[in-house]
Amino acid sequence: MLEIKNLNVFYGGIHALKDISLKVNSGEIVTLIGSNGSGKTTTLRTISGLEKAKSGEILYENQNIVGIQASDIVKMGISHVPEGRRIFGTMSVLENLEIGAYARTDKENIKKDIKKVFELFPILYERRSQNAINLSGGEQQMLAIGRALLSRPKLLLLDEPSMGLAPMIVKEIFEIIKNINNSGTTIMLVEQNAKMALLNADRAYIIKNGRIELEGKANDLLNNELVKKAYLGG
Amino acid sequence: MEHFIQQIVNGISLGSIYALMALGYTMVYGIIKLINFAHGEIYMVGAYIGYALTTFFNFGFFPALILSMILTSLLGVVIEKVAYKPMRNSTRIAALITAIAVSMFLQYGMMYFVTPQTRSYPNILPDIQVSLFGTNAVVDIRNIYILTVTIVLMLLLQYVIHKTKTGKAMRAVALDGDASQLMGIDMNKTISYTFAIGSALAGAAGVLVGIYYNTINPLMGAVPGLKAFIAAVIGGIGVIPGAVFGGFFLGVTETVVSALGGSLYKDAVAFAILILVLLIKPNGIFGSNQREKV
Ligand SMILES: Nc1ncnc2c1ncn2[C@@H]1O[C@H](COP(=O)(O)OP(=O)(O)OP(=O)(O)O)[C@@H](O)[C@H]1O
Ligand SMILES: [Mg+2]
């Protein structure tokens, strides 16, 4: 579904992604793990068109999408839940969801899909007319995911959905991610919480200083000594 | 007392003009964080278009108002595309200097074409005055036109911003540009719409001021532009109700200060209020200090 080939991204003089190559197959959950500043967010932002690639290809359904503007990439079926959630704080929960469907024109189906999101996250329904800024961290993450689902993505990019959340809520969020995947959406998950990510993903890539260091089945990486030491706390 | 009521009436008219202009400042600032110093000049151009239409083409008030709004909205879009868009990723100070350059270009460009001479609007509204509560304070038909047009435009704006898809996109982009793009919102289009709407409001203010004060000249946008900017900051720049409040507040304060014999100081008072507000509430009266939860 998605194949990245020799991708290089720079921020001015900083070489943030160095010849990255990776693949996401249809139906999978693929996770990209790495420590602070390793290039995870940059990878997702480049896929969704927010950053420009210097060289390399991003093939999505066999089409190179490098250079297409972000607002058009959503329409092709890639939806990105950004790091830090980035919900629209002074807009209501419902308005946030409506904006999630901005790229669509099928009004009736949008209504149905919003209803589905409310079924997935009942708490959002209760708070539908409150400003999004008043939600708790976990609820904001749910809203960010719900909003992203409303563009009806085939591929969902998630950037650290567990960031800043209590363990109980993290578990809940990962269950939701699993559910979304089971209903047919392919997922690329960026995480610092390596354990949770590996427990839930099919395959994984480990990124360090802008390079892919290691890749493999999530299960295998869970038991890999190097990974244990560096990312799973020994 | 009569005198005082009269000044309030005049203040509301002046406040309408400030409020209409402050809305443009605040909307543009909200979406691209640029203080569009050329905004006062768009108002000036609007006044000239209204003048040309009513004087040379015998347009009535409403057709002149509407056509002037359409043309100034185009002007705003062109200015953004030509002057500001190339500066979008440069420093804020560079963008600010560009805005000042555009402002001067319009002032002196206009002067080249129409000469610096002051022009007088024709009398296109009937001569009707109503005395208030049986006193000598009068409300002129022009006061009524200004306030009515302003209120109608504000209601329209409110509708567009809260109920239409484009309006929601404008608010979203103002809150978070990157996140908006991820929702499929086209930034460039949304920014253009914002300039179009803000400039149309300034154009309307230009026509209204021409009708109200009668005289226009190519430099007429400078001081009211600054005042409207102050009004927007007082209300909380980027906050739409704040701009409306700031505009009316400043307009009424200025006329009242003038009436109390302080007409020499009315500009100083505007700045004093600005400084006071910034000291007490740095984000303006309607600005929030709330931060998003992480
Ligand atoms: N806007 C930017 N301007 C300049 N450098 C940047 C920018 N964004 C990221 N970088 C740099 O690029 C590198 C990769 O950053 P990135 O945000 O992709 O890392 P990350 O893996 O997502 O980190 P974290 O886990 O902290 O979110 C870092 O060295 C970072 O400092
Ligand atoms: Mg990151």
Side-chain angles (χ1 to χ4, degrees), chain B residues 17 20-25 28 32 34-51 64-65 67-81 83-84 98-108 110 121 191-210 216-226 228:
Chain B
I17 307 282
L20 284 175
M21 289 177 79
L23 281 167
Y25 268 110
V28 164
I32 54 170
L34 168 78
I35 296 162
N36 179 14
F37 271 110
H39 198 60
E41 278 57 53
I42 293 175
Y43 152 92
M44 175 273 290
V45 171
Y48 270 92
I49 293 172
Y51 168 79
L65 179 77
L67 190 52
S68 169
M69 287 175 71
I70 292 170
L71 294 175
T72 46
S73 74
L74 290 177
L75 176 65
V77 171
V78 170
I79 289 174
E80 193 276 325
K81 287 255 184 280
Y84 300 154
T98 308
I100 294 172
V102 172
S103 156
M104 295 173 96
F105 174 79
L106 289 174
Q107 284 176 0
Y108 294 98
M110 197 59 154
Y121 256 63
I191 291 172
S192 289
Y193 281 127
T194 308
F195 270 87
I197 294 175
S199 305
L201 295 176
V207 175
L208 292 174
V209 97
I216 61 172
N217 70 71
L219 299 183
M220 66 184 272
V223 172
L226 197 59

Side-chain angles (χ1 to χ4, degrees), chain A residues 45 48 50 69-71 74-75 79-80 82 85-91 95 98-105 133-137 140 147 163-164, chain B residues 89 161-163 165-173 175-190 193 288 290-294:
Chain A
R45 285 175 62 89
S48 59
L50 290 175
Q69 67 177 18
S71 54
V74 198
K75 294 172 192 154
S79 194
H80 179 171
R85 296 145 202 155
R86 310 283 284 267
I87 49 154
F88 301 110
T90 51
M91 295 173 111
E95 280 178 321
E98 284 167 356
I99 289 192
Y102 185 86
R104 293 167 53 184
T105 47
I133 201 172
N134 296 323
L135 300 180
S136 73
Q140 288 191 10
R147 186 181 65 174
M163 186 167 71
Chain B
N89 292 320
I161 285 182
H162 288 277
K163 299 287 177 218
K165 212 169 159 178
T166 305
K168 285 181 188 181
M170 284 163 51
R171 283 160 64 211
V173 172
L175 288 170
D176 191 330
D178 276 356
S180 302
Q181 293 185 68
L182 293 179
M183 304 298 120
I185 295 172
D186 185 330
M187 286 267 272
N188 290 330
K189 257 196 212 160
T190 309
Y193 281 127
S288 73
Q290 240 178 336
R291 290 252 170 272
E292 312 240 344
K293 278 184 206 162
V294 180

